[in-house]
Amino acid sequence: MTIPMLVDHLREYHQWRMRIANAVDQLAKLSIEMEILPSGTMLRMENLAQEIARDHLRISFFGEFARGKSELINALFFSDLGARLMPSGPGQTTMCPVEIAYTHMTPSLQLLPIRSRTLNDSVEKLKKIRDLWTISPLNPEDKKDCAERMTQLTETLCVPMEEARSYGLCPQVKEFGSQLETANSGDCGEGKVRISRWRYALLQWVHPVLEAGLVILDTPGLNSLGSEADLGLEVARDADALIFVLSADSGVTQSDLAIWEQSLGRHALQNQLVVLNKVDTLWDDLLNPEQEADAISAQREKTATRLGLSVDQVIAVSAQKGLLGRIRQDDSLCARSRLKELEEAIAQILIPGKRESILESARRLIRRVVIDQRILLEEQIRNLGGEIESMERLQAQTGEQLPRLLEKQKKLMRSFARDQDSFVLKEREFLESANTWLLQSLSMEQLDQIIISARTELLAAWTTVGIYDRFSKFFEETIAQFDNALERANRLSALMLDAYRVLEQQYGLSKLDTIPYVILPRRAELLAIADRYERFGKRLEIAASTQGSVVRKAFFSLTQQIEDFVKETQKDIRNWVNESLDLMNRQLELFAAQSKEKLTALESIVHSSANIQPRIQSLSQQRRVKESNLTALNDTYYGLGELLQMVPDDNSQAAPADVV
């Protein structure tokens, strides 16, 4: 059976990632050979290359119960198996999130019991505790046995209501009401409720589409988000691309719209697709093909308008008919199912979004590294040229002047040693200021107070306007923290630069810049998050209802996201200060080494003026090496230009702030 076209797209994406990773690694190795930048910067480049090489495209499927998410996964990715991989059909509803990834080892289904929710650890942490998981080996050759084992994904338990609540499910009726309680308790007996047996599943499988770098996440019906918003939103945040599955006949229902607005619509819309599944319900033999296509197009346009997307992001398919057509190799049925259009949308919309994310990370670091090294190399070449001219003048002077020059060089080195020691003391002060005064402006304690205040006021808000206003106020206070941090970072940057500039002017060191560029993009990301929540809040049409509890839970999930965001920013700030000071120290070390070399040369010249010419030759060789390094650096950068889809900067004196 023909492998789906997505495999080719994903393989090409994988090869592209490897080219990017190799390019970053190539520049890192060249930079290490030149020994100009601090080791911390080199480590960042090596880590970036490894992250890009190991990266996967994570696509998550969302939607209410019975929308056909699992069947869509079967049809899109696994039709070549000749049978369903994911359980689908009447009585075959997937009850927990299922992560499907490639393995080099024996395929298996690994299941995390629902009781693990009492451990208060994330699923990512629990993945490392193998004893918690129930593991079932899978034999791809035995389709019947695989199908039986995969039905574990549909298993449920009847438990007392209090036990369900101990897992964080089924909120108290007297607080906000409970859709899940009234919906699922009927067939379990009084006081009991039906819940999933499993919290999470890992399907390790051998398949070309997974080997090409795809990780698939199949979620249960998202109408459970009313009770488990934290897990659903966590999954949405971690995904590179989201596919929201609706029914073609009903379009966007009120519950679909609630899920979209309260959970999915706050994420990057350019990395999302909406699938109108079961389009075969719109097939009408009484209509001609053009009329049928017009009806489907109208439903797509209506859905796109309702969700605020472009119509290209809304695809109508029939997963069940597409799977059947591919298994039976029925070209007519495959074409009518429109699966190919969805594959093309994934290839043209979702994969490019992930590409751009990787490109942005690589561009920012590479431009910074190249321009910093270019400026320093050109400065070193100029200094060597000046020293060569000085040696050539010395060659024409009498030997009586040499002792005076030797003493002058010794005096300069003693002065520099004292000033270098003073700079070390100031460096300690800068590091202390960064770890106390600067990071205090983004302290977790301050953020906790903002969160506590926001949570208290949010719980007391019983209107849409009240909830929306509290979201806005939360972001205003958080952004104010970042503005304060940016102001302090600018002040600390100026202090570090002033301390270095004194030495720079006195000893002719290379010019440096310490713009706090790390905070600017972080602040922009925070503004983007705030903007998404503002658009979300403006669409709210809820009050003190069950949906109100969902919004509150969404806020709790948001606070965890912001806490992680602030911690990452703190780490970036520390790296920025350390790298800036490391770069300054590197220049001081280079000057000390060059001064010592010059002193040794002068001492040799004093003893024998015949050594002047070898010294000139040595300096000229050093200059040629630096010029060769600069040529190699520029050639590498220009070579990366097309790969990274950026225009290399011809201005060798461009400031780092211009490119971050």
Side-chain angles (χ1 to χ4, degrees):
M1 180 175 291
T2 303
I3 295 176
M5 61 175 289
L6 267 181
V7 175
D8 290 334
H9 288 290
L10 287 166
R11 283 175 174 167
E12 189 278 332
Y13 168 70
H14 171 75
Q15 294 167 358
W16 174 85
R17 276 194 300 106
M18 296 310 299
R19 290 197 298 272
I20 296 291
N22 290 336
V24 176
D25 187 59
Q26 175 188 357
L27 183 59
K29 290 178 179 177
L30 176 62
S31 300
I32 290 172
E33 291 176 3
M34 291 190 293
E35 297 182 336
I36 295 178
L37 296 181
S39 58
T41 303
M42 298 300 95
L43 182 60
R44 283 183 61 197
M45 292 187 67
E46 291 175 342
N47 288 340
L48 177 62
Q50 293 175 9
E51 289 171 5
I52 293 174
R54 292 195 301 259
D55 189 67
H56 294 86
L57 176 66
R58 296 177 61 89
I59 299 182
S60 295
F61 289 75
F62 295 88
E64 287 222 54
F65 285 117
R67 294 295 191 256
K69 298 181 295 298
S70 299
E71 189 78 325
L72 184 60
I73 291 171
N74 288 329
L76 271 177
F77 306 115
F78 304 115
S79 61
D80 59 304
L81 300 178
R84 290 185 172 97
L85 176 63
M86 299 297 294
S88 178
Q92 295 287 302
T93 299
T94 302
M95 295 301 297
C96 68
V98 185
E99 182 179 323
I100 310 171
Y102 181 74
T103 181
H104 295 281
M105 304 173 68
T106 301
S108 65
L109 178 63
Q110 305 172 27
L111 300 163
L112 181 65
I114 191 67
R115 63 177 179 275
S116 65
R117 285 184 61 83
T118 61
L119 298 177
N120 295 321
D121 285 322
S122 68
V123 170
E124 287 304 312
K125 289 183 180 179
L126 296 179
K127 285 180 181 178
K128 302 175 183 177
I129 308 176
R130 305 309 302 163
D131 292 343
L132 293 176
W133 296 72
T134 298
I135 301 177
S136 300
L138 300 175
N139 180 6
E141 301 300 324
D142 191 341
K143 291 183 172 57
K144 181 178 180 182
D145 181 66
C146 279
E148 290 177 355
R149 293 180 183 273
M150 292 294 290
T151 58
Q152 295 177 91
L153 297 173
T154 69
E155 292 177 343
T156 60
L157 298 172
C158 284
V159 299
M161 187 70 67
E162 290 306 315
E163 181 179 346
R165 287 172 180 154
S166 72
Y167 300 148
L169 307 175
C170 301
Q172 297 282 350
V173 179
K174 62 183 180 181
E175 282 186 86
F176 304 120
S178 172
Q179 291 177 329
L180 194 59
E181 181 177 345
T182 59
N184 293 333
S185 60
D187 60 346
C188 288
E190 186 176 355
K192 291 188 175 183
V193 64
R194 184 175 297 279
I195 64 173
S196 172
R197 182 179 179 184
W198 311 107
R199 180 184 183 188
Y200 201 85
L202 296 172
L203 175 56
Q204 303 287 323
W205 192 253
V206 178
H207 192 274
V209 77
L210 303 176
E211 187 178 12
L214 180 66
V215 175
I216 304 165
L217 190 77
D218 184 15
T219 64
L222 285 189
N223 31 357
S224 64
L225 278 179
S227 295
E228 225 178 333
D230 55 341
L231 182 56
L233 292 174
E234 179 184 343
V235 167
R237 282 202 309 270
D238 293 341
D240 299 308
L242 306 179
I243 294 181
F244 189 35
V245 184
L246 310 175
S247 287
D249 56 348
S250 58
V252 183
T253 66
Q254 282 302 115
S255 57
D256 290 328
L257 187 61
I259 290 171
W260 176 263
E261 292 184 335
Q262 296 165 9
S263 305
L264 306 181
R266 297 195 300 273
H267 301 275
L269 297 183
Q270 67 271 22
N271 292 339
Q272 294 185 349
L273 291 175
V274 171
V275 172
L276 293 172
N277 194 20
K278 304 181 182 180
V279 73
D280 52 289
T281 59
L282 301 182
W283 294 353
D284 189 342
D285 292 337
L286 296 179
L287 299 177
N288 61 45
E290 291 76 14
Q291 291 173 320
E292 182 178 286
D294 289 343
I296 294 173
S297 295
Q299 187 70 303
R300 289 177 60 204
E301 292 173 0
K302 182 178 179 182
T303 300
T305 301
R306 193 89 184 273
L307 300 181
L309 299 173
S310 71
V311 71
D312 291 338
Q313 290 176 269
V314 181
I315 313 296
V317 305
S318 173
Q320 193 274 333
K321 301 301 182 186
L323 177 61
L324 180 63
R326 287 185 167 181
I327 291 176
R328 293 182 177 177
Q329 300 187 25
D330 184 336
D331 293 340
S332 176
L333 189 57
C334 287
R336 202 175 183 191
S337 73
R338 297 172 174 248
L339 277 180
K340 185 176 180 180
E341 284 86 340
L342 179 55
E343 288 180 320
E344 291 174 347
I346 292 174
Q348 297 171 8
I349 297 176
L350 299 189
I351 293 179
K354 179 62 173 176
R355 278 178 181 253
E356 186 57 36
S357 174
I358 291 176
L359 282 174
E360 184 57 33
S361 298
R363 287 185 193 124
R364 183 181 300 171
L365 182 57
I366 284 177
R367 283 173 171 161
R368 178 84 190 189
V369 165
V370 168
I371 289 181
D372 280 352
Q373 290 184 106
R374 181 189 287 164
I375 291 174
L376 295 175
L377 278 172
E378 290 175 343
E379 185 73 19
Q380 291 174 5
I381 291 171
R382 283 193 293 271
N383 290 339
L384 285 168
E387 194 167 350
I388 290 172
E389 291 179 4
S390 177
M391 288 292 102
E392 289 174 341
R393 287 194 299 270
L394 269 177
Q395 198 172 30
Q397 294 174 349
T398 65
E400 296 178 355
Q401 294 176 299
L402 293 176
R404 180 176 58 81
L405 293 173
L406 178 62
E407 183 57 33
K408 181 179 179 181
Q409 181 66 16
K410 290 180 178 179
K411 183 178 179 181
L412 180 143
M413 291 180 65
R414 289 194 295 269
S415 173
F416 179 77
R418 289 192 299 269
D419 290 340
Q420 189 176 20
D421 290 340
S422 298
F423 184 82
V424 170
L425 295 177
K426 292 180 180 179
E427 179 183 7
R428 294 172 185 169
E429 296 176 4
F430 296 146
L431 290 172
E432 179 65 23
S433 296
N435 289 324
T436 55
W437 175 72
L438 175 53
L439 288 180
Q440 280 175 359
S441 60
L442 276 180
S443 71
M444 298 306 299
E445 291 77 10
Q446 280 184 296
L447 181 62
D448 287 342
Q449 290 301 316
I450 293 174
I451 290 173
I452 291 171
S453 174
R455 181 185 294 119
T456 302
E457 295 181 19
L458 188 65
L459 290 174
W462 292 97
T463 66
T464 299
V465 174
I467 293 173
Y468 168 64
D469 287 345
R470 199 55 193 86
F471 267 94
S472 299
K473 184 179 178 183
F474 171 75
F475 277 110
E476 289 174 3
E477 295 170 343
T478 307
I479 292 170
Q481 268 196 297
F482 271 73
D483 289 338
N484 188 22
L486 182 59
E487 180 184 355
R488 293 190 180 191
N490 278 316
R491 290 164 62 185
L492 180 60
S493 175
L495 290 173
M496 291 191 294
L497 189 58
D498 287 344
Y500 177 81
R501 200 164 276 156
V502 171
L503 301 179
E504 173 196 308
Q505 294 172 352
Q506 185 170 351
Y507 299 104
L509 304 180
S510 298
K511 294 183 179 181
L512 299 178
D513 200 347
T514 55
I515 298 298
Y517 67 96
V518 294
I519 302 181
L520 296 176
R522 282 288 183 183
R523 186 181 184 278
E525 290 179 42
L526 182 61
L527 289 173
I529 295 173
D531 179 64
R532 290 199 295 272
Y533 270 87
E534 181 179 359
R535 288 188 282 105
F536 158 62
K538 288 180 178 179
R539 295 197 301 267
L540 287 177
E541 296 178 357
I542 60 174
S545 65
T546 302
Q547 292 188 10
S549 71
V550 176
V551 175
R552 293 178 178 86
K553 289 188 177 182
F555 174 76
F556 299 152
S557 178
L558 167 66
T559 58
Q560 181 61 54
Q561 181 184 2
I562 297 300
E563 286 177 349
D564 294 341
F565 188 79
V566 170
K567 290 177 182 176
E568 292 172 0
T569 304
Q570 289 176 334
K571 182 179 178 181
D572 286 347
I573 290 174
R574 291 190 183 95
N575 288 337
W576 160 67
V577 173
N578 288 329
E579 289 181 11
S580 297
L581 292 173
D582 285 348
L583 191 58
M584 293 177 182
N585 279 315
R586 180 62 179 157
Q587 301 317 304
L588 298 181
E589 292 168 0
L590 285 173
F591 180 82
Q594 292 168 356
S595 297
K596 184 177 180 180
E597 184 181 357
K598 184 175 181 179
L599 178 64
T600 301
L602 284 172
E603 289 174 339
S604 176
I605 292 170
V606 166
H607 290 90
S608 175
S609 60
N611 287 336
I612 293 180
Q613 186 59 36
R615 173 60 178 167
I616 292 175
Q617 292 175 348
S618 174
L619 292 172
S620 298
Q621 175 61 24
Q622 292 179 43
R623 182 169 62 177
R624 285 193 293 272
V625 170
K626 297 296 181 183
E627 289 171 341
S628 176
N629 287 340
L630 181 59
T631 299
L633 180 67
N634 286 330
D635 288 346
T636 301
Y637 186 44
Y638 283 107
L640 292 173
E642 182 177 355
L643 183 59
L644 297 178
Q645 299 175 17
M646 63 183 183
V647 178
D649 185 1
D650 289 326
N651 184 0
S652 61
Q653 298 299 323
D658 294 336
V659 294
V660 299

